[in-house]
Amino acid sequence: MTNFDELLENNKRFAATDFRDHLPEIPFLPNKQVYILTCIDPRVDPAAILGLRLGDAIVARTVGGRANQSFLDDLAWISYLHETVTPGADWFEMAVIHHTDCGSALMADDKLSRGFIQRGFQQTPLRATAVTDPATTVPIDVDKILHSPTASGRIRVSGYSYDIATGRLTLVTPPRARAEQPL
């Protein structure tokens, strides 16, 4: 039996549960009205660290939990759907979560990244993706989301640092929306 075969068995058990009773009616309006951006690192599972259940949140995972263009495009689409299909519904809150001991920090290692750059990648974007200090990178991504011209200005965005060693989240950037900021 492979590792994935075991997961398929787990899926059979899951399919036999009452999971359908907890699904949101509208796929882009999660039960808890939360949208989370975090890292692909398997040690940072939003369901585990935040106690989420299926349907509670939209979760986006990128290397380092960074607000890259692909993420911003997805957020723009969700914003558009919300504005046009469910204009009267409450807006979700967004949380950016970066973490300590992030593997993306290796992108800032010139010696290690040299081979990757030889595959056709650029050093500047690699360094910009690296999360070496969540307290520094979280505000950058919160601002990038808040100032994205394609995302709704009604989305409240906050930022957190997740400590791998303790399991604790620490607020880095308090929640705010672009629409709430003075012109």
Side-chain angles (χ1 to χ4, degrees):
M1 180 179 261
T2 70
N3 288 337
F4 202 76
D5 288 335
E6 179 182 340
L7 299 180
L8 292 173
E9 290 301 315
N10 291 345
N11 175 255
K12 287 178 187 174
R13 285 189 290 281
F14 166 78
T17 69
D18 67 346
F19 78 93
R20 290 169 204 80
D21 297 340
H22 305 284
L23 298 179
E25 276 186 49
I26 300 171
F28 54 88
L29 292 179
N31 295 330
K32 302 272 187 206
Q33 285 294 70
V34 176
Y35 196 138
I36 297 166
L37 171 61
T38 195
C39 187
I40 62 172
D41 190 317
R43 300 172 298 170
V44 185
D45 182 346
I49 67 175
L50 298 171
L52 297 170
R53 294 181 56 172
L54 183 67
D56 282 350
I58 296 172
V59 177
R61 296 180 74 153
T62 64
V63 171
R66 302 310 304 266
N68 60 30
Q69 190 59 52
S70 177
F71 164 78
L72 292 172
D73 292 347
D74 291 347
L75 180 60
W77 176 245
I78 296 299
S79 293
Y80 173 76
L81 288 176
H82 201 322
E83 290 167 346
T84 58
V85 178
T86 57
D90 290 337
W91 277 85
F92 50 81
E93 295 178 63
M94 173 166 282
V96 174
I97 302 173
H98 294 180
H99 67 92
T100 59
D101 190 35
C102 186
S104 71
L106 297 172
M107 293 176 160
D109 181 318
D110 291 335
K111 187 176 176 182
L112 184 60
S113 64
R114 188 172 302 121
F116 195 63
I117 292 167
Q118 290 171 350
R119 292 182 178 191
F121 294 87
Q122 300 295 314
Q123 185 170 19
T124 301
L126 285 176
R127 284 189 169 282
T129 300
V131 174
T132 56
D133 176 18
T136 301
T137 54
V138 163
I140 292 168
D141 284 350
V142 167
D143 284 344
K144 189 182 286 189
I145 294 164
L146 288 171
H147 294 97
S148 172
T150 58
S152 172
R154 296 173 61 194
I155 300 169
R156 292 180 57 78
V157 185
S158 58
Y160 299 85
S161 174
Y162 174 67
D163 188 313
I164 293 291
T166 67
R168 300 294 306 240
L169 279 176
T170 302
L171 180 66
V172 174
T173 305
R176 66 184 194 277
R178 182 173 68 236
E180 297 169 350
Q181 296 178 9
L183 298 174

mmCIF file of all heavy atoms in Angstrom, residues 6-42:
data_model
loop_
_atom_site.group_PDB
_atom_site.id
_atom_site.type_symbol
_atom_site.label_atom_id
_atom_site.label_comp_id
_atom_site.label_asym_id
_atom_site.label_seq_id
_atom_site.Cartn_x
_atom_site.Cartn_y
_atom_site.Cartn_z
ATOM 1 N N GLU A 6 -3.476 4.911 1.256
ATOM 2 C CA GLU A 6 -4.003 5.140 2.608
ATOM 3 C C GLU A 6 -4.935 6.345 2.621
ATOM 4 O O GLU A 6 -5.991 6.323 3.262
ATOM 5 C CB GLU A 6 -2.841 5.358 3.582
ATOM 6 C CG GLU A 6 -3.288 5.616 5.006
ATOM 7 C CD GLU A 6 -2.131 5.884 5.943
ATOM 8 O OE1 GLU A 6 -0.984 5.510 5.621
ATOM 9 O OE2 GLU A 6 -2.393 6.476 6.999
ATOM 10 N N LEU A 7 -4.563 7.391 1.884
ATOM 11 C CA LEU A 7 -5.405 8.582 1.820
ATOM 12 C C LEU A 7 -6.733 8.285 1.124
ATOM 13 O O LEU A 7 -7.776 8.823 1.510
ATOM 14 C CB LEU A 7 -4.670 9.713 1.107
ATOM 15 C CG LEU A 7 -3.374 10.190 1.774
ATOM 16 C CD1 LEU A 7 -2.749 11.321 0.973
ATOM 17 C CD2 LEU A 7 -3.603 10.602 3.214
ATOM 18 N N LEU A 8 -6.706 7.430 0.128
ATOM 19 C CA LEU A 8 -7.950 7.038 -0.541
ATOM 20 C C LEU A 8 -8.877 6.292 0.408
ATOM 21 O O LEU A 8 -10.103 6.468 0.368
ATOM 22 C CB LEU A 8 -7.646 6.203 -1.786
ATOM 23 C CG LEU A 8 -6.974 6.965 -2.934
ATOM 24 C CD1 LEU A 8 -6.557 6.005 -4.037
ATOM 25 C CD2 LEU A 8 -7.880 8.058 -3.466
ATOM 26 N N GLU A 9 -8.319 5.489 1.271
ATOM 27 C CA GLU A 9 -9.122 4.808 2.297
ATOM 28 C C GLU A 9 -9.717 5.831 3.256
ATOM 29 O O GLU A 9 -10.887 5.728 3.645
ATOM 30 C CB GLU A 9 -8.281 3.766 3.048
ATOM 31 C CG GLU A 9 -7.917 2.548 2.219
ATOM 32 C CD GLU A 9 -9.139 1.807 1.692
ATOM 33 O OE1 GLU A 9 -10.097 1.595 2.470
ATOM 34 O OE2 GLU A 9 -9.143 1.469 0.489
ATOM 35 N N ASN A 10 -8.908 6.814 3.634
ATOM 36 C CA ASN A 10 -9.416 7.893 4.490
ATOM 37 C C ASN A 10 -10.571 8.620 3.807
ATOM 38 O O ASN A 10 -11.552 9.000 4.445
ATOM 39 C CB ASN A 10 -8.317 8.899 4.813
ATOM 40 C CG ASN A 10 -7.249 8.335 5.713
ATOM 41 O OD1 ASN A 10 -7.413 7.295 6.342
ATOM 42 N ND2 ASN A 10 -6.116 9.022 5.756
ATOM 43 N N ASN A 11 -10.464 8.810 2.494
ATOM 44 C CA ASN A 11 -11.509 9.495 1.750
ATOM 45 C C ASN A 11 -12.812 8.714 1.772
ATOM 46 O O ASN A 11 -13.894 9.303 1.877
ATOM 47 C CB ASN A 11 -11.065 9.756 0.304
ATOM 48 C CG ASN A 11 -12.187 10.355 -0.489
ATOM 49 O OD1 ASN A 11 -12.806 9.686 -1.310
ATOM 50 N ND2 ASN A 11 -12.484 11.626 -0.229
ATOM 51 N N LYS A 12 -12.731 7.417 1.702
ATOM 52 C CA LYS A 12 -13.951 6.597 1.767
ATOM 53 C C LYS A 12 -14.663 6.822 3.101
ATOM 54 O O LYS A 12 -15.889 6.945 3.144
ATOM 55 C CB LYS A 12 -13.609 5.120 1.589
ATOM 56 C CG LYS A 12 -13.226 4.752 0.177
ATOM 57 C CD LYS A 12 -12.864 3.282 0.092
ATOM 58 C CE LYS A 12 -12.301 2.936 -1.284
ATOM 59 N NZ LYS A 12 -11.819 1.555 -1.341
ATOM 60 N N ARG A 13 -13.890 6.885 4.179
ATOM 61 C CA ARG A 13 -14.489 7.135 5.495
ATOM 62 C C ARG A 13 -15.093 8.544 5.551
ATOM 63 O O ARG A 13 -16.178 8.754 6.074
ATOM 64 C CB ARG A 13 -13.458 6.934 6.596
ATOM 65 C CG ARG A 13 -13.145 5.464 6.867
ATOM 66 C CD ARG A 13 -12.290 5.279 8.111
ATOM 67 N NE ARG A 13 -10.935 5.763 7.935
ATOM 68 C CZ ARG A 13 -9.966 5.100 7.294
ATOM 69 N NH1 ARG A 13 -10.203 3.907 6.772
ATOM 70 N NH2 ARG A 13 -8.755 5.610 7.187
ATOM 71 N N PHE A 14 -14.370 9.517 4.986
ATOM 72 C CA PHE A 14 -14.863 10.892 4.963
ATOM 73 C C PHE A 14 -16.182 10.991 4.196
ATOM 74 O O PHE A 14 -17.132 11.628 4.650
ATOM 75 C CB PHE A 14 -13.812 11.815 4.327
ATOM 76 C CG PHE A 14 -14.346 13.168 3.966
ATOM 77 C CD1 PHE A 14 -14.527 14.130 4.946
ATOM 78 C CD2 PHE A 14 -14.672 13.484 2.657
ATOM 79 C CE1 PHE A 14 -15.036 15.377 4.618
ATOM 80 C CE2 PHE A 14 -15.176 14.731 2.324
ATOM 81 C CZ PHE A 14 -15.355 15.675 3.310
ATOM 82 N N ALA A 15 -16.253 10.350 3.035
ATOM 83 C CA ALA A 15 -17.447 10.419 2.195
ATOM 84 C C ALA A 15 -18.678 9.847 2.899
ATOM 85 O O ALA A 15 -19.808 10.199 2.555
ATOM 86 C CB ALA A 15 -17.199 9.697 0.868
ATOM 87 N N ALA A 16 -18.458 9.015 3.897
ATOM 88 C CA ALA A 16 -19.565 8.405 4.633
ATOM 89 C C ALA A 16 -20.020 9.263 5.816
ATOM 90 O O ALA A 16 -20.950 8.886 6.529
ATOM 91 C CB ALA A 16 -19.154 7.020 5.117
ATOM 92 N N THR A 17 -19.392 10.437 6.019
ATOM 93 C CA THR A 17 -19.753 11.307 7.144
ATOM 94 C C THR A 17 -20.847 12.289 6.740
ATOM 95 O O THR A 17 -21.348 12.262 5.621
ATOM 96 C CB THR A 17 -18.522 12.119 7.628
ATOM 97 O OG1 THR A 17 -18.170 13.076 6.616
ATOM 98 C CG2 THR A 17 -17.346 11.213 7.960
ATOM 99 N N ASP A 18 -21.155 13.211 7.630
ATOM 100 C CA ASP A 18 -22.173 14.239 7.382
ATOM 101 C C ASP A 18 -21.568 15.518 6.809
ATOM 102 O O ASP A 18 -22.131 16.593 6.965
ATOM 103 C CB ASP A 18 -22.925 14.547 8.674
ATOM 104 C CG ASP A 18 -22.043 15.214 9.714
ATOM 105 O OD1 ASP A 18 -20.789 15.213 9.563
ATOM 106 O OD2 ASP A 18 -22.599 15.757 10.693
ATOM 107 N N PHE A 19 -20.449 15.406 6.103
ATOM 108 C CA PHE A 19 -19.749 16.603 5.614
ATOM 109 C C PHE A 19 -20.656 17.525 4.805
ATOM 110 O O PHE A 19 -20.513 18.740 4.850
ATOM 111 C CB PHE A 19 -18.510 16.217 4.788
ATOM 112 C CG PHE A 19 -18.817 15.764 3.388
ATOM 113 C CD1 PHE A 19 -18.802 16.664 2.334
ATOM 114 C CD2 PHE A 19 -19.136 14.434 3.122
ATOM 115 C CE1 PHE A 19 -19.092 16.252 1.048
ATOM 116 C CE2 PHE A 19 -19.422 14.021 1.843
ATOM 117 C CZ PHE A 19 -19.406 14.929 0.792
ATOM 118 N N ARG A 20 -21.627 16.968 4.079
ATOM 119 C CA ARG A 20 -22.513 17.780 3.243
ATOM 120 C C ARG A 20 -23.310 18.795 4.064
ATOM 121 O O ARG A 20 -23.681 19.854 3.571
ATOM 122 C CB ARG A 20 -23.487 16.889 2.469
ATOM 123 C CG ARG A 20 -22.847 16.074 1.377
ATOM 124 C CD ARG A 20 -23.847 15.030 0.851
ATOM 125 N NE ARG A 20 -23.200 13.904 0.240
ATOM 126 C CZ ARG A 20 -22.651 12.875 0.878
ATOM 127 N NH1 ARG A 20 -22.664 12.825 2.186
ATOM 128 N NH2 ARG A 20 -22.071 11.898 0.218
ATOM 129 N N ASP A 21 -23.577 18.454 5.315
ATOM 130 C CA ASP A 21 -24.361 19.332 6.185
ATOM 131 C C ASP A 21 -23.616 20.615 6.553
ATOM 132 O O ASP A 21 -24.227 21.546 7.078
ATOM 133 C CB ASP A 21 -24.747 18.601 7.475
ATOM 134 C CG ASP A 21 -25.634 17.400 7.207
ATOM 135 O OD1 ASP A 21 -26.257 17.340 6.125
ATOM 136 O OD2 ASP A 21 -25.704 16.511 8.078
ATOM 137 N N HIS A 22 -22.314 20.654 6.304
ATOM 138 C CA HIS A 22 -21.505 21.802 6.715
ATOM 139 C C HIS A 22 -21.015 22.641 5.541
ATOM 140 O O HIS A 22 -20.300 23.618 5.751
ATOM 141 C CB HIS A 22 -20.300 21.320 7.530
ATOM 142 C CG HIS A 22 -20.691 20.486 8.700
ATOM 143 N ND1 HIS A 22 -21.222 21.013 9.855
ATOM 144 C CD2 HIS A 22 -20.681 19.146 8.873
ATOM 145 C CE1 HIS A 22 -21.496 20.036 10.692
ATOM 146 N NE2 HIS A 22 -21.177 18.895 10.119
ATOM 147 N N LEU A 23 -21.392 22.295 4.338
ATOM 148 C CA LEU A 23 -20.926 23.028 3.164
ATOM 149 C C LEU A 23 -21.707 24.320 2.987
ATOM 150 O O LEU A 23 -22.923 24.348 3.157
ATOM 151 C CB LEU A 23 -21.070 22.163 1.906
ATOM 152 C CG LEU A 23 -20.261 20.870 1.885
ATOM 153 C CD1 LEU A 23 -20.527 20.107 0.595
ATOM 154 C CD2 LEU A 23 -18.785 21.162 2.035
ATOM 155 N N PRO A 24 -21.013 25.402 2.633
ATOM 156 C CA PRO A 24 -21.732 26.656 2.400
ATOM 157 C C PRO A 24 -22.589 26.550 1.142
ATOM 158 O O PRO A 24 -22.261 25.818 0.218
ATOM 159 C CB PRO A 24 -20.605 27.685 2.216
ATOM 160 C CG PRO A 24 -19.377 26.908 1.916
ATOM 161 C CD PRO A 24 -19.574 25.529 2.460
ATOM 162 N N GLU A 25 -23.691 27.291 1.133
ATOM 163 C CA GLU A 25 -24.584 27.286 -0.036
ATOM 164 C C GLU A 25 -23.901 27.865 -1.261
ATOM 165 O O GLU A 25 -24.073 27.386 -2.365
ATOM 166 C CB GLU A 25 -25.837 28.119 0.258
ATOM 167 C CG GLU A 25 -26.908 27.363 0.982
ATOM 168 C CD GLU A 25 -28.170 28.215 1.095
ATOM 169 O OE1 GLU A 25 -28.619 28.779 0.070
ATOM 170 O OE2 GLU A 25 -28.678 28.301 2.217
ATOM 171 N N ILE A 26 -23.144 28.940 -1.038
ATOM 172 C CA ILE A 26 -22.460 29.622 -2.135
ATOM 173 C C ILE A 26 -20.962 29.350 -1.973
ATOM 174 O O ILE A 26 -20.388 29.665 -0.928
ATOM 175 C CB ILE A 26 -22.760 31.135 -2.097
ATOM 176 C CG1 ILE A 26 -24.269 31.345 -2.223
ATOM 177 C CG2 ILE A 26 -21.999 31.870 -3.197
ATOM 178 C CD1 ILE A 26 -24.728 32.747 -1.987
ATOM 179 N N PRO A 27 -20.328 28.780 -2.999
ATOM 180 C CA PRO A 27 -18.947 28.310 -2.824
ATOM 181 C C PRO A 27 -17.918 29.381 -2.495
ATOM 182 O O PRO A 27 -16.901 29.079 -1.903
ATOM 183 C CB PRO A 27 -18.620 27.656 -4.171
ATOM 184 C CG PRO A 27 -19.625 28.161 -5.120
ATOM 185 C CD PRO A 27 -20.834 28.537 -4.332
ATOM 186 N N PHE A 28 -18.170 30.634 -2.828
ATOM 187 C CA PHE A 28 -17.185 31.672 -2.538
ATOM 188 C C PHE A 28 -17.548 32.486 -1.293
ATOM 189 O O PHE A 28 -16.935 33.517 -1.023
ATOM 190 C CB PHE A 28 -16.954 32.590 -3.751
ATOM 191 C CG PHE A 28 -18.205 33.200 -4.303
ATOM 192 C CD1 PHE A 28 -18.684 34.393 -3.806
ATOM 193 C CD2 PHE A 28 -18.897 32.572 -5.321
ATOM 194 C CE1 PHE A 28 -19.839 34.954 -4.308
ATOM 195 C CE2 PHE A 28 -20.052 33.129 -5.831
ATOM 196 C CZ PHE A 28 -20.531 34.322 -5.329
ATOM 197 N N LEU A 29 -18.545 32.029 -0.526
ATOM 198 C CA LEU A 29 -18.883 32.647 0.755
ATOM 199 C C LEU A 29 -18.741 31.582 1.845
ATOM 200 O O LEU A 29 -19.699 30.903 2.194
ATOM 201 C CB LEU A 29 -20.312 33.200 0.737
ATOM 202 C CG LEU A 29 -20.584 34.386 -0.166
ATOM 203 C CD1 LEU A 29 -22.046 34.795 -0.078
ATOM 204 C CD2 LEU A 29 -19.682 35.549 0.162
ATOM 205 N N PRO A 30 -17.537 31.430 2.396
ATOM 206 C CA PRO A 30 -17.308 30.380 3.384
ATOM 207 C C PRO A 30 -18.099 30.613 4.669
ATOM 208 O O PRO A 30 -18.475 31.736 4.996
ATOM 209 C CB PRO A 30 -15.801 30.455 3.629
ATOM 210 C CG PRO A 30 -15.402 31.825 3.216
ATOM 211 C CD PRO A 30 -16.360 32.254 2.161
ATOM 212 N N ASN A 31 -18.349 29.528 5.374
ATOM 213 C CA ASN A 31 -19.146 29.580 6.610
ATOM 214 C C ASN A 31 -18.648 30.630 7.599
ATOM 215 O O ASN A 31 -19.437 31.315 8.235
ATOM 216 C CB ASN A 31 -19.152 28.214 7.300
ATOM 217 C CG ASN A 31 -19.854 27.164 6.484
ATOM 218 O OD1 ASN A 31 -20.781 27.451 5.728
ATOM 219 N ND2 ASN A 31 -19.405 25.928 6.601
ATOM 220 N N LYS A 32 -17.355 30.734 7.776
ATOM 221 C CA LYS A 32 -16.784 31.666 8.753
ATOM 222 C C LYS A 32 -16.431 33.011 8.125
ATOM 223 O O LYS A 32 -15.887 33.881 8.799
ATOM 224 C CB LYS A 32 -15.519 31.072 9.393
ATOM 225 C CG LYS A 32 -15.729 29.759 10.093
ATOM 226 C CD LYS A 32 -16.139 29.974 11.501
ATOM 227 C CE LYS A 32 -16.174 28.609 12.214
ATOM 228 N NZ LYS A 32 -17.083 28.622 13.311
ATOM 229 N N GLN A 33 -16.711 33.165 6.827
ATOM 230 C CA GLN A 33 -16.404 34.409 6.117
ATOM 231 C C GLN A 33 -14.929 34.801 6.291
ATOM 232 O O GLN A 33 -14.601 35.952 6.587
ATOM 233 C CB GLN A 33 -17.314 35.536 6.572
ATOM 234 C CG GLN A 33 -18.720 35.437 6.013
ATOM 235 C CD GLN A 33 -18.751 35.617 4.513
ATOM 236 O OE1 GLN A 33 -18.297 34.769 3.763
ATOM 237 N NE2 GLN A 33 -19.287 36.728 4.070
ATOM 238 N N VAL A 34 -14.056 33.822 6.104
ATOM 239 C CA VAL A 34 -12.617 34.037 6.249
ATOM 240 C C VAL A 34 -11.905 33.527 5.003
ATOM 241 O O VAL A 34 -12.260 32.475 4.462
ATOM 242 C CB VAL A 34 -12.078 33.286 7.498
ATOM 243 C CG1 VAL A 34 -10.578 33.409 7.607
ATOM 244 C CG2 VAL A 34 -12.745 33.795 8.757
ATOM 245 N N TYR A 35 -10.918 34.270 4.568
ATOM 246 C CA TYR A 35 -10.057 33.907 3.439
ATOM 247 C C TYR A 35 -8.639 33.953 3.996
ATOM 248 O O TYR A 35 -8.211 34.978 4.517
ATOM 249 C CB TYR A 35 -10.239 34.929 2.322
ATOM 250 C CG TYR A 35 -9.738 34.571 0.949
ATOM 251 C CD1 TYR A 35 -10.498 34.873 -0.166
ATOM 252 C CD2 TYR A 35 -8.496 33.996 0.736
ATOM 253 C CE1 TYR A 35 -10.057 34.595 -1.447
ATOM 254 C CE2 TYR A 35 -8.043 33.710 -0.543
ATOM 255 C CZ TYR A 35 -8.823 34.013 -1.628
ATOM 256 O OH TYR A 35 -8.377 33.746 -2.898
ATOM 257 N N ILE A 36 -7.913 32.864 3.900
ATOM 258 C CA ILE A 36 -6.579 32.769 4.487
ATOM 259 C C ILE A 36 -5.545 32.562 3.391
ATOM 260 O O ILE A 36 -5.729 31.729 2.508
ATOM 261 C CB ILE A 36 -6.512 31.608 5.490
ATOM 262 C CG1 ILE A 36 -7.482 31.872 6.637
ATOM 263 C CG2 ILE A 36 -5.090 31.407 6.011
ATOM 264 C CD1 ILE A 36 -7.751 30.682 7.498
ATOM 265 N N LEU A 37 -4.464 33.307 3.473
ATOM 266 C CA LEU A 37 -3.298 33.104 2.622
ATOM 267 C C LEU A 37 -2.164 32.652 3.518
ATOM 268 O O LEU A 37 -1.801 33.355 4.464
ATOM 269 C CB LEU A 37 -2.911 34.402 1.901
ATOM 270 C CG LEU A 37 -1.573 34.373 1.150
ATOM 271 C CD1 LEU A 37 -1.575 33.313 0.047
ATOM 272 C CD2 LEU A 37 -1.247 35.750 0.598
ATOM 273 N N THR A 38 -1.634 31.470 3.228
ATOM 274 C CA THR A 38 -0.524 30.969 4.018
ATOM 275 C C THR A 38 0.407 30.139 3.154
ATOM 276 O O THR A 38 0.200 29.980 1.955
ATOM 277 C CB THR A 38 -1.026 30.195 5.260
ATOM 278 O OG1 THR A 38 0.057 30.017 6.178
ATOM 279 C CG2 THR A 38 -1.624 28.863 4.882
ATOM 280 N N CYS A 39 1.405 29.578 3.775
ATOM 281 C CA CYS A 39 2.470 28.854 3.092
ATOM 282 C C CYS A 39 2.062 27.418 2.745
ATOM 283 O O CYS A 39 1.183 26.838 3.380
ATOM 284 C CB CYS A 39 3.702 28.832 3.999
ATOM 285 S SG CYS A 39 5.183 28.141 3.248
ATOM 286 N N ILE A 40 2.749 26.862 1.759
ATOM 287 C CA ILE A 40 2.515 25.476 1.365
ATOM 288 C C ILE A 40 3.145 24.485 2.341
ATOM 289 O O ILE A 40 2.901 23.291 2.251
ATOM 290 C CB ILE A 40 3.047 25.195 -0.055
ATOM 291 C CG1 ILE A 40 4.567 25.393 -0.131
ATOM 292 C CG2 ILE A 40 2.322 26.062 -1.074
ATOM 293 C CD1 ILE A 40 5.199 24.963 -1.434
ATOM 294 N N ASP A 41 3.924 24.963 3.275
ATOM 295 C CA ASP A 41 4.618 24.112 4.239
ATOM 296 C C ASP A 41 3.615 23.208 4.959
ATOM 297 O O ASP A 41 2.626 23.698 5.511
ATOM 298 C CB ASP A 41 5.336 25.011 5.257
ATOM 299 C CG ASP A 41 6.289 24.279 6.172
ATOM 300 O OD1 ASP A 41 5.930 23.185 6.655
ATOM 301 O OD2 ASP A 41 7.372 24.814 6.436
ATOM 302 N N PRO A 42 3.835 21.902 4.970
ATOM 303 C CA PRO A 42 2.885 20.997 5.625
ATOM 304 C C PRO A 42 2.791 21.178 7.137
ATOM 305 O O PRO A 42 1.854 20.685 7.765
ATOM 306 C CB PRO A 42 3.401 19.603 5.269
ATOM 307 C CG PRO A 42 4.833 19.784 4.941
ATOM 308 C CD PRO A 42 4.964 21.170 4.366
#
